[in-house]
Structure formats: structure tokens, C-alpha cells
Amino acid sequence: MTFVFEFLYLVSAVLFIVGLKFLSSPARARQGNTLAAVGMLVATVTLLTSLHMPPFEAHRFNLYLVFAAVAIGAIAGAVGARRVAMTDMPQMVAILNGCGGGAAALISVAEFLHMGHARAGADTMFGCIIGSISFSGSIVAFAKLQGLVSEKAVNSPAQKVVNGALFVSLLGLVGYLAFVGGGAPAFYALLAVALAFGVLMVMPIGGADMPVVISLLNSFTGLAVAATGFVLHNNALIISGTLVGASG
């Protein structure tokens, strides 16, 4: 039975690859979106069907919450896709990309808490850091494009110092969590510093360059999803996340 699930994950990954290839051509972009959507449907159904198999059989899942979340996401995505004007697509891409990064970060946090505050693995910390940076950075990009904040580049003489301090803090927290432990407070601190770093990374960039920033953050989200795949032992997430990270 495990072979069947792995084969279906492979099918979904192939659909992601072909769909991404089709997106490079305007004539096939719609087909590409459809193939990728079918791939996601196959992966989702396969995951829900395999919850009684290793490594999930020892856990309890509230399927009502799972299906409620799927329904809310599907409705929000459908309404947004139909109502958002084409001229506002960059903002929508930014906010959807942020949702992907935020989801990866939350999964990393949940996995760390599930491990009983043991030492954090490299995949868990990587998913938390990159996903958080993608989430907060994408929110700033959305706000700039939507006109909620100034589109001008926000620079400060102390900004490089602050960014440097945040980067050093990230490295210190990673080392502390990897070799000492530190528990939930240290991991929450890692999450907070990564979120702040994402904001300060995007604020100095003007609105005209936001599409480039969104492309970079999209790659971040893909890498965070791939890390989540290692955390959850899910090959479909590893393949699809790597594809997004490479093509962002």
C-alpha cells in the first residue's frame, strides 16, 4: 500500500513539473495551472488517505478541522481569483506566496513542539527561518503594491547595523537550538527574529522593484516547502518545493 501512495506522490510531482513548464508559454499557461491544480488534488487526497499509514498512524488527527481548512482556503482562493483585477495580480501573488511561507513556518513550529522541545533539526529550523522571511517580506511587498504603505524605499543609517544584528542573532539561535536545545522560548525567538528580518529586508526596496522581490520571496517559499517535506517525510512537498525554489 505504501508503494501506491509513493506512486501517486510521483504522479502529482510530474503534474507539477509539466504544469510549471506550460506556465512559461502564454498559450499553455491555463493548461499549466490546470495540471498543477490536478497535481495538488492528487497529493492532497493521497495524504488524507494515507493518514493511517507510517509515519502518521501514531498521531490523532481531527479531520473535521482539516476539511474545514481546505474548504475555507478553496473558497477564499476562488473568490480572490474571480474578483481581483488583472492589474492587481502582483499583489495577489505576493499575498498567496506569503501564505505558503507562513504555512511552512507554522508546520516547522508545530513539528518542533511535537518533538517535546528537543534539539531542533536543520530541516525544522530552515523551514521556520525561510518560511518566516517569505511570509513577512511578502506582506510588506503586498502592502507596498496595494498602497497601504509608502512605495518609496525606506532607508535608515542604522538599518544595516540592525540587519547585521538580526542575522547574527539568527546564527546564534540556530547554533543554540542545534547543540544546546533551548526549548520553546528559543524557537519562538528564532521565529520572531526571522519575521523581523523579512520586514527589514523588503522595506528598503521601492515599489517598482517589488516584482523582482516577489520572485525572490517565491523561491524562499519553495525552499521552505521543500524543508517541510523533509520534516513531514513527504516526497511530493520536497519535489514541488524544490521546483518552485529553482524557478522563482
Side-chain angles (χ1 to χ4, degrees):
M1 196 65 178
T2 302
F3 171 78
V4 176
F5 292 140
E6 293 299 330
F7 176 76
L8 290 174
Y9 281 138
L10 179 62
V11 170
S12 67
V14 171
L15 290 172
F16 290 146
I17 295 172
V18 177
L20 189 62
K21 177 62 177 178
F22 280 11
L23 288 177
S24 62
S25 169
R28 291 186 171 183
R30 180 174 294 182
Q31 292 176 315
N33 273 325
T34 301
L35 287 174
V38 172
M40 182 58 70
L41 178 62
V42 171
T44 302
V45 173
T46 302
L47 175 63
L48 292 175
T49 308
S50 65
L51 289 180
H52 66 284
M53 301 289 291
F56 305 112
E57 80 284 0
H59 308 295
R60 292 183 179 181
F61 297 92
N62 190 327
L63 291 180
Y64 293 107
L65 289 178
V66 173
F67 287 119
V70 170
I72 293 172
I75 293 172
V79 171
R82 295 185 66 87
R83 292 190 176 183
V84 175
M86 286 300 297
T87 53
D88 294 333
M89 278 297 118
Q91 298 90 298
M92 185 173 182
V93 171
I95 199 69
L96 292 177
N97 179 65
C99 289
L106 288 176
I107 290 174
S108 296
V109 173
E111 182 64 17
F112 177 77
L113 296 177
H114 172 71
M115 291 188 299
H117 302 168
R119 290 182 177 87
D123 49 4
T124 306
M125 290 188 288
F126 186 82
C128 176
I129 294 172
I130 302 300
S132 298
I133 292 175
S134 176
F135 173 74
S136 59
S138 296
I139 296 301
V140 174
F142 167 81
K144 281 179 173 282
L145 291 173
Q146 192 66 20
L148 300 178
V149 299
S150 175
E151 293 186 5
K152 297 181 180 180
V154 180
N155 292 303
S156 169
Q159 184 176 8
K160 292 183 178 180
V161 176
V162 174
N163 283 349
L166 289 175
F167 183 72
V168 172
S169 298
L170 282 176
L171 294 180
L173 286 168
V174 166
Y176 185 67
L177 284 164
F179 297 106
V180 179
F187 201 85
Y188 291 150
L190 182 73
L191 177 67
V193 172
L195 289 171
F197 191 79
V199 172
L200 294 178
M201 185 180 74
V202 178
M203 286 300 292
I205 303 174
D209 294 324
M210 279 302 109
V212 178
V213 174
I214 292 172
S215 179
L216 175 63
L217 294 174
N218 185 58
S219 293
F220 278 25
T221 295
L223 295 175
V225 170
T228 301
F230 284 104
V231 171
L232 299 179
H233 309 287
N234 189 297
N235 292 331
L237 287 176
I238 295 173
I239 296 173
S240 59
T242 305
L243 284 171
V244 174
S247 63

